[in-house]
Amino acid sequence: MSSNSNLTPVLKSSDISDEIKDEIFKISLDAVEKYQLERDLAGAIKKQLDVKYGNTWHVIAGKSFGSYVTHEKGHFIYFYIGPTAFLVFKTA
């Protein structure tokens, strides 16, 4: 999808390190290029994070959702790419 190639992630909330944030943005932008369904986006991002940073990552991607989550300190990020929101966090 070439129309997504110029999208930039917009950070809304985070307590994650810049290194992991940048990697999540990269993984998420790649997923947006490859997938159209929100569940496929979320699944692809989760799988890559589990491999790179260990298990128990959770990813929610969508245009309308509410959430209340408990996460491991230093492992939470909420951002948008275009109209799609991404909530990414790790649990112990």
Side-chain angles (χ1 to χ4, degrees):
M1 285 189 208
S2 60
S3 63
N4 289 329
S5 62
N6 61 353
L7 295 177
T8 301
V10 177
L11 182 64
K12 294 297 185 179
S13 181
S14 172
D15 76 348
I16 212 158
S17 73
D18 285 342
E19 175 192 337
I20 298 175
K21 174 190 66 130
D22 291 344
E23 186 64 21
I24 290 172
F25 283 173
K26 178 184 172 298
I27 289 168
S28 299
L29 285 165
D30 288 346
V32 166
E33 289 289 325
K34 293 177 186 166
Y35 303 102
Q36 292 183 353
L37 293 178
E38 292 162 346
R39 74 164 178 254
D40 294 339
L41 283 171
I45 295 165
K46 181 205 173 1
K47 287 176 189 168
Q48 289 187 55
L49 291 174
D50 281 349
V51 168
K52 187 161 181 106
Y53 298 109
N55 289 335
T56 65
W57 282 92
H58 306 275
V59 179
I60 301 165
K63 293 176 180 66
S64 179
F65 63 85
S67 69
Y68 186 89
V69 301
T70 301
H71 61 89
E72 195 174 305
K73 184 177 168 92
H75 292 85
F76 171 88
I77 187 168
Y78 177 59
F79 61 97
Y80 279 83
I81 297 176
T84 305
F86 293 84
L87 176 62
V88 180
F89 60 98
K90 185 176 186 189
T91 57

